[in-house]
Amino acid sequence: MYSLNVPVPGEVKRLAAELRPRLMAFERIRERHSLLVKRFESADHRRLSKRVRRALAGAPAVEARIATIESFDDPVRGPGPVVYLAAESPGLVGIHDRLVERFDAVPELEGSEYVPHVTLARGGSAEAAEALRDVDIDPIEWVVPELVVYDAVHRERVSRVSLPTSD
């Protein structure tokens, strides 16, 4: 299983670290933070990476913004609730849609169900999720200059896809 992810900037990682004491009420706290764009079933990452590059040819760098903490109270997979940093990015949604046209959507998670986000934790109480949603955070904005293909089995990046900036 592979995925295409946005490497999150240091500001997002620092925010997640600052929120960590508030996440102790959850069963699983995410240690590594990224923003998922698309999942793929593939046996060959080299072929997959080439197909992804072709599908995204000409796609420019996109803007992203995190300003709130949200939750999936009844997630499709795994224990809930899932608390996350909500990412606003029409550009990433567009990239996701472009990839779904070429690679199909994972049912109930992608296509019209896709929500750009950075997972913080999962498996806590509804009250713990609500308390986190009430936390005010300073907005974080950045430009996404590249995406990475991630190998979930080996837990490593296997390639990257540049999104050129228009300077």
Side-chain angles (χ1 to χ4, degrees):
M1 171 71 81
Y2 294 97
S3 61
L4 186 66
N5 299 325
V6 173
V8 296
E11 294 90 347
V12 172
K13 292 175 184 177
R14 279 190 290 282
L15 173 58
E18 289 170 14
L19 292 169
R20 187 172 176 80
R22 297 175 184 250
L23 303 175
M24 295 312 213
F26 292 85
E27 292 171 19
R28 294 192 304 211
I29 299 171
R30 182 67 59 90
E31 298 296 330
R32 293 182 179 179
H33 297 94
S34 64
L35 196 163
L36 178 75
V37 178
K38 176 79 180 87
R39 290 176 177 84
F40 304 97
E41 294 286 341
S42 179
D44 181 0
H45 75 81
R46 288 179 187 91
R47 187 176 186 308
L48 172 65
S49 295
K50 287 179 188 177
R51 289 185 64 205
V52 168
R53 283 191 188 92
R54 278 195 302 266
L56 297 179
V62 298
E63 295 179 357
R65 181 176 193 268
I66 288 177
T68 61
I69 301 171
E70 301 291 339
S71 66
F72 300 119
D73 295 326
D74 189 23
V76 174
R77 296 182 181 166
V82 174
V83 291
Y84 61 88
L85 300 171
E88 303 164 14
S89 179
L92 284 177
V93 172
I95 287 172
H96 172 80
D97 292 346
R98 195 169 172 173
L99 291 168
V100 165
E101 287 177 14
R102 296 272 183 104
F103 294 93
D104 295 325
V106 174
E108 300 180 50
L109 293 174
E110 297 184 340
S112 63
E113 304 297 320
Y114 174 67
V115 176
H117 67 281
V118 177
T119 300
L120 296 171
R122 65 168 46 232
S125 68
E127 293 80 16
E130 183 177 346
L132 273 164
R133 288 192 306 266
D134 290 341
V135 172
D136 288 326
I137 60 173
D138 291 329
I140 300 171
E141 298 178 357
W142 77 99
V143 174
V144 177
E146 72 175 5
L147 304 171
V148 295
V149 176
Y150 182 78
D151 178 341
V153 172
H154 297 100
R155 295 183 171 202
E156 64 184 6
R157 295 175 178 191
V158 293
S159 68
R160 64 185 200 91
V161 178
S162 293
L163 300 174
T165 57
S166 57
D167 289 322

